[in-house]
Amino acid sequence: MLGVPCNDFGGQEPGSETEIKTFCTDKYKVTFPMTAKVSIKGPAKHPLFSALTADGDVGWNFEKFLIGKDGKLIKRFGSDVEPDSTDLLTAIEAALK
């Protein structure tokens, strides 16, 4: 699990990386690592998201990308998919085998 902060969706993450990490830790009890704040759409799109979004841009914050041990994208999950959804957890368990 890795969090990637970005301010590309309605200006929801305008703060510094430290402020975002503190907010996520305090409010949502996030314990996973977080990257530097990047752009995930538009001309400044980070290369990681260029690779992950070959089949279409990210629609909104909290989209999830399941990446296999080989570094290839297994599946995308929209922001409407909860982190504890059966579909997501089943896909993660299958990827770990």
Side-chain angles (χ1 to χ4, degrees):
M1 175 89 54
L2 180 65
V4 182
C6 120
N7 198 37
D8 292 346
F9 301 98
Q12 292 184 338
E13 290 185 334
S16 70
E17 292 165 12
T18 302
E19 291 168 330
I20 293 167
K21 183 174 175 94
T22 299
F23 174 79
C24 291
T25 302
D26 292 349
K27 181 159 178 122
Y28 297 106
K29 308 302 181 216
V30 166
T31 59
F32 49 81
M34 295 180 70
T35 69
K37 187 161 87 172
V38 300
S39 214
I40 64 172
K41 65 181 193 173
K45 184 188 291 188
H46 189 278
L48 172 64
F49 285 93
S50 291
L52 291 175
T53 60
D55 63 344
D57 284 337
V58 172
W60 196 251
N61 276 341
F62 304 110
E63 189 154 328
K64 298 141 203 77
F65 297 86
L66 180 57
I67 301 169
K69 295 175 187 177
D70 61 0
K72 294 182 181 174
L73 179 64
I74 295 174
K75 189 171 180 181
R76 286 174 70 165
F77 298 87
S79 58
D80 60 331
V81 175
E82 293 294 327
D84 60 355
S85 76
T86 301
D87 190 31
L88 178 57
L89 294 176
T90 299
I92 292 169
E93 289 171 4
L96 291 173
K97 291 183 181 178

